[in-house]
């Protein structure tokens, strides 16, 4: 609601915030290439290089939310960086608490264990329900197996 309220009074800032909310690096670059939008950085005292860095991290997190295993080449392409810069970006994402991941340097892939989501809407609630239902089924199966083996007395 607060961001939506800016749509009429400060449309350029609104557009930038929408990109930070759910856009990717290319959306940000498209925004900054428009002369009428680029002035938003000076107007609101925003450091454009810091915004670009944060947008790279958000794009990495979006990628991590979509895939459990990400080839270095995909990260390099998404962030528009060289392959040898991928590991530093992953380390930055992990150290900032945005994701938990491991790098397989031999296979040149990032194995995502967990990451924050940029928005938590109905799709995320549905995915959470599916995961909780699966967890519940697995726990019930373990309890049933233990009960039948006589190792657990369930009351």
């Amino acid at each position: 609601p607060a961001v939506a309220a800016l749509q009429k009074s400060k449309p350029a800032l609104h557009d930038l915030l929408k990109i930070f909310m759910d856009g990717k690096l290319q959306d940000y670059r498209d925004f900054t290439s428009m002369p009428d939008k680029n002035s938003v950085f000076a107007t609101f005292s925003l450091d454009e290089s810091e915004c670009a860095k944060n947008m790279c991290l958000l794009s990495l997190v979006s990628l991590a939310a979509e895939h459990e295993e990400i080839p270095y080449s995909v990260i390099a392409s998404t962030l528009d960086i060289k392959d040898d810069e991928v590991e530093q970006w992953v380390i930055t994402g992990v150290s900032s608490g945005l994701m938990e991941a491991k790098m397989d340097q031999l296979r040149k892939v990032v194995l995502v264990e967990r990451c924050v989501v940029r928005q938590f809407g109905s799709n995320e609630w549905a995915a959470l329900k599916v995961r909780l239902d699966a967890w519940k089924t697995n726990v019930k199966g373990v309890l049933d197996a233990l009960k039948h083996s006589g190792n657990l007395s369930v009351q």
Side-chain angles (χ1 to χ4, degrees):
V3 173
L6 293 171
Q7 190 168 8
K8 290 182 181 170
S9 62
K10 296 174 178 57
L13 182 61
H14 172 266
D15 293 345
L16 180 61
L17 291 174
K18 286 280 293 168
I19 290 168
F20 273 97
M21 197 165 77
D22 57 17
K24 296 220 173 149
L25 183 59
Q26 189 56 51
D27 301 319
Y28 174 80
R29 290 200 170 137
D30 292 344
F31 176 89
T32 59
S33 69
M34 293 184 240
D36 61 321
K37 305 283 186 173
N38 201 355
S39 64
V40 73
F41 297 101
T43 303
F44 295 100
S45 302
L46 299 172
D47 181 342
E48 189 172 349
S49 64
E50 195 64 29
C51 288
K53 176 185 172 191
N54 288 330
M55 200 62 230
C56 283
L57 285 171
L58 290 172
S59 294
L60 178 60
V61 167
S62 291
L63 202 55
E66 296 166 3
H67 308 283
E68 291 180 8
E69 186 173 297
I70 315 166
Y72 281 24
S73 60
V74 172
I75 295 172
S77 173
T78 300
L79 301 184
D80 194 23
I81 58 173
K82 297 176 184 167
D83 284 353
D84 63 352
E85 297 176 60
V86 167
E87 291 180 3
Q88 186 56 50
W89 278 104
V90 173
I91 290 168
T92 302
V94 169
S95 66
S96 66
L98 294 173
M99 59 191 282
E100 288 180 15
K102 294 180 181 173
M103 293 179 278
D104 184 334
Q105 294 172 318
L106 294 176
R107 293 178 40 223
K108 294 203 172 280
V109 295
V110 173
L111 305 167
V112 179
E113 296 174 1
R114 172 197 76 74
C115 70
V116 298
V117 292
R118 291 171 67 183
Q119 291 188 24
F120 207 87
S122 57
N123 290 341
E124 290 75 21
W125 282 112
L128 179 60
K129 181 187 181 319
V130 167
R131 292 181 78 174
L132 287 174
D133 287 344
W135 181 78
K136 182 179 168 184
T137 301
N138 290 341
V139 170
K140 185 178 181 325
V142 169
L143 289 175
D144 287 345
L146 288 172
K147 182 179 175 183
H148 291 327
S149 70
N151 293 334
L152 180 68
S153 60
V154 179
Q155 298 175 352

